[in-house]
C-alpha cells in the first residue's frame, strides 16, 4: 500500500477528515511529519527547518480560511546540539510570529534521523473545504509557483544561502482568511498544482451532483523568478512549477464576479489560471494534466 | 547536551511553557513523539501503539485539569500495511473515545523506523500547573504505579497479550478535571514518581517564596498487582513503582482538609502518599529520593 492509498484509508476510517485540516467545534487542527532524507536537503539550516516544518502546518490552517492561533513541534535528532535547537526554535517562533500565531513549545525525542512533527491550530466559523468548486468558477493561485523546486536545485549546486531563503515561505494565513469570504473551494499547493487540481476535482465531484474538472492555461501561471535561475528551458520551468509542489500557495475556486473585489482584499498577488468545468477532465492548455506530483 | 538539558533550553526559549501542556486562551495543547526502539517493545501491537501514543498526549491534557477535546497522530513507518494502520487508528480512536475526545486524523510519513507523533487538545478556564504546591499540602497519586514496568518485563518474557493489556492505560482526564477543583499543583507520572516529585518541587520552588520538598512513605504506595507478577522482591517492586514511570497517573498536591471530599468526587482510587515540606529535600521513608527515572 503506498502512502496515498494509506491516507485514503485513514480518511475512510475517520469520516469527513481528509481535508487540509480537521475541523472540530470551530477549531481547525492539522499535523505533519517531516524528516531529513525526504524533506530537508543537505544544507538546510535548522532555522529554515523550524520555519518550514511549522510553516507547513500553518499553511494547512490557511487553506481552511482560518485564523492561525498556535503551533507545537516535536523535534527528534540523534544528538541535541544547543545551537541547532535554538535555531530551530527561532525559526519555528518566527514563522508563527509572521502569521500572528503563538509557538507554544514541543517535545524532544532521540532519533537516528532528524525528524520533526508539527501541529497547528486555527479558528474559523466558516471553514473552506476542498469540495465546493462550481462549474463557471475561476481557479486561482496566490503568489508564485516553483520556489521549492528551484531551492532544491540550488541546494544541490551548493548555493545554500539562496536555497535556504527560498525554502522559507510565508504561510498564506492572512490571504486565506480574506479569500475565505469568496472562495467555493480551497487547498494548499503542497503536493503541486497538478495534484492539487486533481484533489479539488475529486473532493468537489464527490460532494456535488456534477463532475468537476479544470481547464488551466500555462500563459498566466505565476512561475517564480527563481525557477529561471535554475533552468532556461521553458518546458522544464513549467514542469517544475506545475508538479513539484511544496510551494504552500493557496489554490482556490471563486465565482468570476468576485475576483475584482477579492484581489483588492488579499495581501498577496492572486492569479486567475483557468476555470472550473462540468467535466471530469483536468487540462493544461487543452492537454490532459496528469495526477502526478510530489508524494510526501 | 542531553534531552533534559535540551528540554530546559526549549522552556527557556519559550517562556512559561514547560508544563505538561501549553495553555493558550483557555486551550491546552501538547505534543509527544514516540518511536519503536525506545517506546514500543517487540510485541507491541499497532492497536496498543495507537492507544498508548495518543493516550500519552491525552494524559498531559489530564494533568492540566482540562477537558480533552481532540487529538491527531502522525504515523511514520517503512511500509504502510493496511491491517497495521487500521489497528493503529482503532487504538487511537478508542483511547479518545474512552476520555470523550475526538480523534480527528493525522499524517503519514515514510520512515525507516516506526515513529508516532501525537498532539492532543483540551479546554479549561483554570489550568493546574506544576507549581503551586504549598507546605502542609498532602501529595497524592491516582490509580496504581508500576504497570508499564511490569508490562516491559512481560514483553521480554513473551507474555504479549498481558503485556499489551497493561500497556493500554486510561488517561486520567475525568479524574484530572475533578481533582483540578482542589489541587494546588499537578502533573502526570510519565517520567516516574521520583522524577515527578522533583519536577513539582522545582516548579513550585521557582514560583513561590519558599522551598518546596516532599516526604513520601513507601507503605501506602499503590503498587500495581502486575508488579508482583514480575518480581517477588519487595525492594525491586518499590524501585519499579517509584522510578520506572510511564504509568500516566496523576501526581498532585492538595490541602489536607480537601482530601475527603476530593476522594468522593474522583472516579479512580486516590492515595495519599506523603506531604509537602518547606525544604528542598525529597525523601522516601526519610531517605533522599534521587531525581532519577525514565528519560524519554
Amino acid at each position: 500500500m503506498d502512502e496515498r492509498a494509506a491516507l485514503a484509508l485513514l480518511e475512510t476510517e475517520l469520516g469527513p477528515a481528509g481535508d487540509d485540516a480537521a475541523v472540530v467545534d470551530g477549531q481547525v487542527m492539522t499535523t505533519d511529519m517531516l524528516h531529513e532524507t525526504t524533506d530537508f536537503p543537505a544544507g538546510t539550516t535548522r532555522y529554515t527547518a523550524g520555519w518550514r516544518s511549522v510553516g507547513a502546518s500553518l499553511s494547512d490552517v490557511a487553506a481552511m480560511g482560518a485564523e492561525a492561533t498556535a503551533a507545537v513541534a516535536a523535534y527528534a535528532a540523534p544528538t541535541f546540539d544547543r545551537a541547532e535547537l535554538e535555531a530551530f526554535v527561532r525559526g519555528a517562533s518566527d514563522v508563527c510570529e509572521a502569521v500572528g500565531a503563538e509557538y507554544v513549545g514541543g517535545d524532544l525525542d532521540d532519533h537516528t534521523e532528524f525528524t520533526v512533527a508539527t501541529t497547528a491550530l486555527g479558528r474559523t466559523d466558516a471553514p473552506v473545504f476542498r469540495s465546493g468548486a462550481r462549474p463557471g468558477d475561476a481557479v486561482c493561485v496566490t503568489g508564485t509557483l516553483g520556489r521549492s523546486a528551484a531551492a532544491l536545485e540550488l541546494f544541490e549546486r551548493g548555493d545554500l544561502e539562496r536555497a535556504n531563503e527560498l525554502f522559507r515561505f510565508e504561510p498564506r494565513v492572512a490571504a486565506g482568511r480574506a479569500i475565505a469570504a469568496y472562495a467555493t473551494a480551497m487547498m494548499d499547493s503542497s503536493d503541486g498544482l497538478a495534484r492539487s487540481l486533481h484533489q479539488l476535482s475529486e473532493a468537489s465531484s464527490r460532494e456535488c451532483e456534477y463532475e468537476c474538472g479544470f481547464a488551466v492555461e500555462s500563459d498566466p501561471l505565476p512561475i517564480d523568478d527563481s525557477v529561471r535561475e535554475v533552468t532556461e528551458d521553458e518546458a522544464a520551468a513549467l514542469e517544475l512549477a506545475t508538479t513539484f509542489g511544496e510551494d504552500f500557495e493557496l489554490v482556490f475556486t471563486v465565482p468570476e464576479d468576485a475576483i475584482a473585489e477579492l484581489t483588492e482584499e488579499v495581501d498577496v498577488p492572486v492569479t486567475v489560471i483557468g476555470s472550473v468545468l462540468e467535466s471530469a477532465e483536468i487540462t493544461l492548455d487543452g492537454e490532459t494534466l496528469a495526477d502526478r506530483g510530489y508524494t510526501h
Side-chain angles (χ1 to χ4, degrees), chain A:
Chain A
M1 187 162 57
D2 70 10
E3 197 169 317
R4 294 185 71 200
L7 268 172
L9 170 66
L10 267 186
E11 290 174 26
T12 310
E13 293 286 316
L14 293 169
D19 214 287
D20 291 74
V23 183
V24 190
D25 291 339
Q27 298 219 98
V28 305
M29 191 174 182
T30 173
T31 194
D32 296 279
M33 195 187 286
L34 303 178
H35 61 116
E36 192 143 33
T37 50
T38 56
D39 300 292
F40 304 119
T44 308
T45 65
R46 287 292 157 104
Y47 178 79
T48 297
W51 179 291
R52 190 170 175 83
S53 55
V54 172
S57 287
L58 292 168
S59 177
D60 285 329
V61 169
M64 305 303 291
E67 175 189 3
T69 50
V72 290
Y75 176 108
T79 56
F80 298 117
D81 176 86
R82 186 184 184 90
E84 283 182 355
L85 189 58
E86 281 180 340
F88 179 88
V89 169
R90 216 166 49 242
S93 300
D94 285 355
V95 73
C96 283
E97 199 183 320
V99 300
E102 196 170 340
Y103 181 61
V104 296
D107 186 36
L108 291 169
D109 190 30
D110 274 309
H111 215 297
T112 47
E113 188 185 352
F114 175 50
T115 302
V116 183
T118 57
T119 303
L121 207 63
R123 195 158 37 204
T124 174
D125 294 324
V128 183
F129 298 101
R130 293 180 181 180
S131 54
R134 292 178 304 200
D137 284 352
V139 54
C140 306
V141 64
T142 58
T144 59
L145 301 172
R147 270 171 71 108
S148 285
L152 204 71
E153 177 64 29
L154 293 169
F155 275 117
E156 274 170 25
R157 292 186 192 173
D159 188 352
L160 302 185
E161 196 174 335
R162 176 83 177 124
N164 273 284
E165 185 194 319
L166 289 170
F167 238 36
R168 295 188 302 266
F169 61 93
E170 184 161 333
R172 299 304 190 194
V173 176
R177 294 187 68 194
I179 291 166
Y182 307 94
T184 49
M186 181 154 64
M187 68 179 295
D188 81 355
S189 69
S190 58
D191 293 334
L193 179 65
R195 182 151 290 167
S196 299
L197 293 172
H198 277 270
Q199 289 175 305
L200 287 169
S201 164
E202 281 163 27
S204 295
S205 299
R206 199 168 48 222
E207 297 289 318
C208 309
E209 290 147 27
Y210 41 83
E211 294 267 39
C212 170
F214 296 97
V216 169
E217 300 298 319
S218 63
D219 201 45
L221 277 185
I223 299 178
D224 197 81
D225 290 344
S226 61
V227 175
R228 271 75 187 219
E229 293 172 33
V230 302
T231 179
E232 290 174 4
D233 179 323
E234 271 309 297
L238 184 62
E239 171 73 15
L240 289 177
T242 52
T243 64
F244 186 85
E246 298 254 286
D247 286 317
F248 303 101
E249 295 293 350
L250 298 176
V251 185
F252 60 97
T253 58
V254 64
E256 291 271 5
D257 58 13
I259 294 171
E261 194 176 315
L262 176 148
T263 308
E264 273 186 32
E265 293 285 328
V266 178
D267 65 349
V268 292
V270 166
T271 309
V272 177
I273 60 171
S275 55
V276 182
L277 304 179
E278 189 168 344
S279 140
E281 269 202 314
I282 292 163
T283 60
L284 178 67
D285 297 336
E287 305 278 323
T288 297
L289 182 61
D291 181 11
R292 66 204 154 79
Y294 189 83
T295 296
H296 303 273

